């Protein structure tokens, strides 16, 4: 892997463009190889954090959600593929959801309970999903590939970290559900949000540096 453009630090954009997000079995091997390369590199994560901190367009995409802090390490505009670091902050929310995009994940530290409810091609806010069809414990070093139509949720202790490679957006919105209340609502991508709402969630350079220091303490960054 070589330094290429400011939007894709240490990853060849051609490698990202070659990922076939329409075929999950075909995608699994190349995506696992990419994640293997990123997590096994002694410098990649640290270099990526350096790049975020000196690139305002990336730093502005780093934000706090209800259950995790999200650091956008790579955002390749041509392929619409992004690489992100997730730090779970702990939450009592039971919020099954699908996604606007498919993604692959690799846990770096910690663990979480992963609840999968099934594949819902036409999910909307009136859909009732029932109980989980599959429950897994994801541990450090494990990973998975999930299609954007899969409804799932996770329960994680604070401090769990993972690396995510997400594919191109397949839709403008996704469904989030509260199983305790039965409520469900549409959630939209960042582009559809008001600037002031985006600004409230931004992590800022100080918090991004704190997350890097946590990864160093976890051994994910040497």
């Amino acid at each position: 892997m070589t330094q290429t453009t400011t939007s894709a630090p240490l990853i060849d954009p051609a490698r990202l463009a070659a990922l076939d997000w329409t075929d999950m079995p075909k995608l699994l091997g190349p995506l696992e190889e990419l994640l293997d390369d990123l997590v096994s590199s002694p410098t990649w994560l640290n270099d990526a954090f350096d790049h975020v901190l000196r690139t305002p367009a990336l730093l502005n995409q780093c934000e706090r959600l209800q259950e995790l802090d999200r650091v956008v390490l790579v955002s390749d505009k041509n392929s619409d593929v992004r690489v992100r670091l997730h730090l779970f902050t702990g939450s009592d929310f039971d919020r099954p959801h699908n996604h606007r995009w498919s993604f692959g994940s690799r846990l770096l530290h910690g663990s979480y309970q992963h609840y999968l409810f099934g594949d819902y091609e036409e999910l909307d806010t009136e859909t009732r999903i029932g109980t989980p069809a599959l429950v897994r414990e994801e541990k450090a070093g494990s990973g998975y590939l999930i299609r954007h139509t899969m409804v799932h949720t996770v329960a994680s202790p604070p401090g769990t970290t993972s690396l995510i490679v997400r594919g191109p957006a397949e839709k403008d919105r996704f469904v989030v559900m509260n199983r305790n209340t039965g409520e469900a609502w549409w959630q939209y991508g960042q582009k559809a949000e008001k600037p002031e709402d985006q600004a409230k969630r931004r992590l800022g350079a100080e918090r991004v540096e704190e997350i890097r220091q946590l990864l160093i303490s976890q051994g994910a960054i040497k």
Side-chain angles (χ1 to χ4, degrees):
M1 290 181 284
T2 58
Q3 184 84 22
T4 55
T5 69
T6 57
S7 62
L10 303 180
I11 302 179
D12 182 355
R15 186 174 187 182
L16 300 179
L19 297 172
D20 183 359
W21 295 91
T22 67
D23 188 330
M24 294 290 102
K26 181 180 178 182
L27 175 62
L28 180 61
L31 194 61
E32 285 190 333
E33 289 175 8
L34 175 59
L35 285 165
D36 284 343
D37 286 347
L38 300 186
V39 300
S40 65
S41 168
T43 62
W44 191 87
L45 264 176
N46 196 52
D47 290 345
F49 268 79
D50 280 341
H51 183 67
V52 170
L53 289 170
R54 64 174 182 260
T55 308
L58 286 178
L59 189 58
N60 286 341
Q61 293 181 60
C62 301
E63 58 184 5
R64 169 158 291 177
L65 306 179
Q66 286 182 304
E67 69 279 8
L68 58 83
D69 287 352
R70 181 167 70 193
V71 179
V72 179
L73 302 172
V74 173
S75 182
D76 184 67
K77 292 182 179 179
N78 290 331
S79 64
D80 195 25
V81 173
R82 298 178 189 175
V83 181
R84 309 193 309 205
L85 189 285
H86 287 182
L87 165 61
F88 288 86
T89 53
S91 158
D92 293 327
F93 292 105
D94 183 7
R95 301 195 309 165
H97 57 278
N98 62 346
H99 286 271
R100 296 191 306 116
W101 23 258
S102 303
F103 71 93
S105 176
R106 179 72 58 86
L107 261 71
L108 303 178
H109 179 86
S111 64
Y112 56 72
Q113 291 292 115
H114 194 181
Y115 303 91
L116 298 105
F117 293 84
D119 189 72
Y120 290 81
E121 193 77 40
E122 301 296 333
L123 187 72
D124 61 35
T125 56
E126 300 301 318
T127 304
R128 296 295 174 258
I129 59 171
T131 58
L134 177 65
V135 179
R136 290 169 46 92
E137 183 178 6
E138 310 290 357
K139 299 180 179 180
S142 71
Y144 54 89
L145 174 62
I146 192 167
R147 192 168 183 262
H148 63 95
T149 51
M150 176 63 68
V151 175
H152 76 144
T153 191
V154 303
S156 173
T160 296
T161 52
S162 63
L163 197 63
I164 302 291
V165 180
R166 55 137 283 192
E170 301 286 346
K171 47 192 178 255
D172 295 328
R173 60 185 185 174
F174 62 101
V175 176
V176 181
M177 308 171 187
N178 185 324
R179 288 218 300 154
N180 294 326
T181 65
E183 296 176 281
W185 61 93
W186 290 108
Q187 197 154 317
Y188 293 80
Q190 197 176 59
K191 291 180 181 179
E193 296 174 331
K194 296 178 181 179
E196 56 267 31
D197 292 334
Q198 294 180 20
K200 290 177 183 177
R201 291 204 310 272
R202 284 179 186 146
L203 294 180
E206 184 176 348
R207 177 57 178 164
V208 170
E209 180 59 37
E210 287 178 356
I211 293 172
R212 182 195 348 220
Q213 294 305 314
L214 175 65
L215 291 171
I216 291 172
S217 72
Q218 293 177 347
I221 292 179
K222 309 301 182 184

